[in-house]
């Protein structure tokens, strides 16, 4: 049958290069991930989340005064319109935090000072605002649903420390702050992953930043993407609850042709470089908090899945045990991913709009042959 398209695309667009970008470099064969060319290992060892945001949004590392200025601007944006807090209060207590976040981010547009603007400078301001606000929304909704009072933001704290303060009601230890800070750096960007692609597609219609980020949050939620970290913890919890042997539990899942959350990757064919750091963090934090079981179980599962299926752990596998021992609820794991990834999404939206063209691919038509005649209702 004739077709207007000339090529057939691989399922899931595997291997397709869909845009040019200067934000994130990945070499899936060698396990390399770099933001603006700077290796993720160097950033995890030496940087902080605010500096990583600067790097993503402005294309280079900040000088001291520039970093201070961005930290100040992020802290100044730590406020939510009372209507947003009201929206969080009115959400059902049973609502998934990820659904609440998606709805609240969409609603933030009503109260944004740059609501009708879509130029580069306005979008940088929106990036800063959304980064401050998303963390606050995640923390505030968790407290509201638990009947706890809201905690004032502390402008003197880092983004990571302020988030933990507003979530838990007390200033975090230096170890907890640094652990979350590193996790935020590691999750900040990942090239054209599903949620970032969704954000760019929305932005490319000349919609707006809030629409693009709302699209991205919807895409992140799924268990094949950001939702995997919660799914990992559900597996770990089930093993503990059922007093099961971790390896037998996973063997059984594989026997039922189930996918093991936290394993496999479309791009990496070797160790996901983010997993290297999260594994070490999980080990250290689990031991320090006298909950070594989560790490030990994870390690056994990782060894087994690697041997049995030749699949490597991805970013989500060890982030589950890491977040758990940081005191973060299981259904906040994916929202916490968004607390970080807003930085990368915004960088991609800004890049898209700086040199925009509508993203509108084609589909290879495989339906009934044309012309397939319309038959009136009485004759069907
Ligand atoms: C990440 C992921 C979506 C990549 O998907 P993909 O590139 O489309 O790869 P596929 O799902 O086609 O998997 C290829 C093969 O590996 C197997 N596989 C991939 N990930 C697997 C997993 N986590 N557990 C068991 N088998 C897995 C698939 O069953 C498939 O096997 P088959 O060829 O025998 O059918 C996939 O690995 C996955 O679903 N992982 C679990 C969810 C997850 O951790 N997501 C977060 C990613 S950062």
């Amino acid at each position: 049958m004739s077709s207007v398209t000339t090529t057939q695309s691989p399922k899931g667009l595997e291997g397709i290069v869909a845009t040019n970008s200067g934000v994130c470099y990945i070499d899936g064969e060698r396990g390399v991930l770099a933001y603006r060319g700077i290796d993720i290992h160097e950033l995890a060892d030496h940087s902080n989340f605010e500096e990583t945001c600067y790097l993503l949004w402005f294309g280079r590392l900040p000088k001291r005064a520039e970093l201070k200025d961005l930290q100040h601007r992020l802290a100044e944006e730590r406020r939510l319109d009372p209507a947003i807090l009201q929206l969080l209060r009115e959400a059902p207590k049973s609502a998934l935090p990820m659904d609440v976040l998606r709805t609240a981010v969409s609603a933030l547009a009503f109260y944004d000072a740059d609501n009708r603007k879509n130029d580069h400078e306005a979008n940088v301001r929106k990036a800063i605002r959304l980064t401050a606000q998303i963390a606050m929304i995640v923390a505030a909704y968790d407290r509201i649903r638990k009947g706890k009072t809201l905690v004032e933001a502390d402008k003197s704290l880092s983004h990571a420390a302020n988030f933990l303060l507003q979530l838990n009601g007390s200033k975090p230890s230096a170890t907890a702050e640094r652990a979350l800070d590193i996790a935020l750096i590691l999750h900040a960007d990942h090239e054209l992953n599903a949620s970032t692609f969704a954000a760019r597609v929305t932005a490319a219609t000349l919609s707006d930043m809030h629409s693009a980020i709302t699209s991205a949050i919807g895409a992140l939620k799924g268990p094949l993407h950001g939702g995997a970290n919660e799914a990992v913890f559900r597996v770990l919890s089930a093993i503990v609850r059922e007093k099961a042997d971790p390896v037998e539990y996973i063997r059984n899942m594989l026997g039922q042709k189930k996918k093991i959350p936290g394993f496999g990757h479309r791009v990496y064919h070797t160790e996901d470089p983010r997993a290297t750091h999260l594994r070490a963090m999980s080990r250290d934090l689990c031991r320090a908090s006298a909950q070594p079981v989560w790490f030990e179980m994870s390690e056994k599962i990782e060894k087994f899945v690697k041997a049995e299926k030749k699949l490597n752990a991805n970013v989500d596998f060890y982030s589950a045990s890491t977040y758990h021992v940081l005191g973060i609820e299981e259904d906040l794991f994916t929202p916490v991913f968004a607390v970080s990834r807003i930085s990368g999404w915004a960088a991609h939206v800004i890049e898209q709009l700086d040199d925009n063209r509508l993203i509108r691919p084609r589909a290879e038509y495989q339906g009934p042959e044309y012309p397939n005649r319309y038959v009136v209702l009485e004759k069907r």
Side-chain angles (χ1 to χ4, degrees):
M1 185 167 65
S2 73
S3 167
V4 285
T5 54
T6 50
T7 52
Q8 201 147 16
S9 73
K11 202 169 174 192
L13 296 182
E14 180 168 1
I16 296 291
V17 173
T19 193
N20 296 328
S21 175
V23 181
C24 188
Y25 170 74
I26 299 178
D27 180 338
E29 300 304 320
R30 292 191 300 142
V32 174
L33 167 62
Y35 304 156
R36 304 282 185 190
I38 302 179
D39 196 282
I40 193 73
H41 297 306
E42 282 189 69
L43 292 169
D45 288 343
H46 306 295
S47 188
N48 55 56
F49 180 64
E50 288 86 335
E51 187 177 66
T52 300
C53 286
Y54 191 101
L55 178 65
L56 291 169
W57 298 335
F58 300 102
R60 60 170 174 82
L61 289 172
K63 296 191 195 312
R64 196 180 297 275
E66 290 167 330
L67 177 59
K68 222 173 149 197
D69 180 57
L70 181 61
Q71 284 165 330
H72 176 72
R73 290 175 72 184
L74 279 164
E76 285 301 311
E77 294 294 355
R78 281 182 197 145
R79 50 197 153 87
L80 291 172
D81 191 281
I84 296 293
L85 292 174
Q86 192 54 26
L87 185 150
L88 300 184
R89 285 196 186 94
E90 282 171 8
K93 300 287 169 283
S94 59
L96 278 176
M98 200 57 181
D99 292 345
V100 173
L101 179 64
R102 187 194 59 227
T103 304
V105 166
S106 179
L108 283 173
F110 304 147
Y111 313 102
D112 194 281
D114 292 301
N115 187 12
R116 300 291 162 96
K117 295 188 186 141
N118 205 16
D119 60 276
H120 182 100
E121 292 309 323
N123 281 328
V124 170
R125 290 194 294 274
K126 288 182 191 181
I128 295 171
R129 226 171 268 141
L130 279 163
T131 301
Q133 291 165 330
I134 284 179
M136 293 183 73
I137 288 169
V138 174
Y141 178 65
D142 189 52
R143 293 189 71 83
I144 287 170
R145 69 176 173 163
K146 289 175 174 161
K148 295 181 178 171
T149 52
L150 296 183
V151 179
E152 282 290 308
D154 183 336
K155 292 184 180 173
S156 71
L157 294 182
S158 70
H159 192 69
N162 182 68
F163 173 69
L164 290 172
L165 166 75
Q166 292 202 283
L167 181 70
N168 298 327
S170 56
K171 266 192 200 176
S173 67
T175 312
E177 176 185 357
R178 183 62 188 147
L180 182 66
D181 200 27
I182 296 174
L184 295 180
I185 294 170
L186 297 173
H187 285 82
D189 195 49
H190 210 232
E191 199 221 47
L192 220 52
N193 59 88
S195 56
T196 302
F197 188 53
R200 288 189 79 127
V201 169
T202 301
T205 68
L206 298 184
S207 179
D208 64 89
M209 177 72 90
H210 287 81
S211 301
I213 302 306
T214 306
S215 302
I217 293 173
L220 186 73
K221 179 185 168 186
L224 296 187
H225 188 13
N229 55 13
E230 294 178 16
V232 170
F233 198 72
R234 281 196 290 277
V235 169
L236 298 181
S237 303
I239 293 171
V240 169
R241 203 173 44 246
E242 295 171 26
K243 297 189 177 56
D245 176 75
V247 168
E248 288 314 312
Y249 192 94
I250 299 298
R251 197 195 301 280
N252 191 28
M253 279 182 78
L254 289 175
Q256 294 174 45
K257 302 266 172 264
K258 288 186 181 159
K259 278 187 166 178
I260 313 302
F263 287 91
H265 202 275
R266 176 64 69 75
V267 179
Y268 294 118
H269 300 296
T270 179
E271 167 123 330
D272 179 333
R274 302 165 298 177
T276 315
H277 291 272
L278 286 157
R279 185 189 295 106
M281 268 162 60
S282 165
R283 182 196 58 216
D284 296 348
L285 289 169
C286 287
R287 283 180 188 158
S289 62
Q291 301 181 65
V293 59
W294 303 108
F295 175 73
E296 286 163 7
M297 196 172 22
S298 303
E299 206 182 21
K300 281 184 192 152
I301 294 171
E302 184 187 19
K303 280 198 180 113
F304 175 69
V305 175
K306 176 116 194 168
E308 195 76 7
K309 295 287 291 183
K310 296 191 174 46
L311 287 169
N312 291 297
N314 59 44
V315 67
D316 295 304
F317 188 62
Y318 282 103
S319 57
S321 43
T322 300
Y323 291 159
H324 175 68
V325 293
L326 282 176
I328 299 171
E329 291 274 358
E330 169 193 310
D331 61 4
L332 294 186
F333 291 2
T334 313
V336 169
F337 196 149
V339 165
S340 163
R341 185 57 62 85
I342 174 59
S343 56
W345 290 331
H348 280 270
V349 167
I350 291 166
E351 182 183 66
Q352 178 67 38
L353 292 175
D354 282 347
D355 184 23
N356 190 53
R357 193 163 186 225
L358 180 76
I359 299 172
R360 202 305 188 189
R362 295 299 312 270
E364 175 73 15
Y365 180 68
Q366 295 179 339
E369 192 157 354
Y370 176 83
N372 179 20
R373 290 287 167 214
Y374 179 81
V375 180
V376 292
L377 193 57
E378 301 74 48
K379 294 199 174 160
R380 279 177 225 161

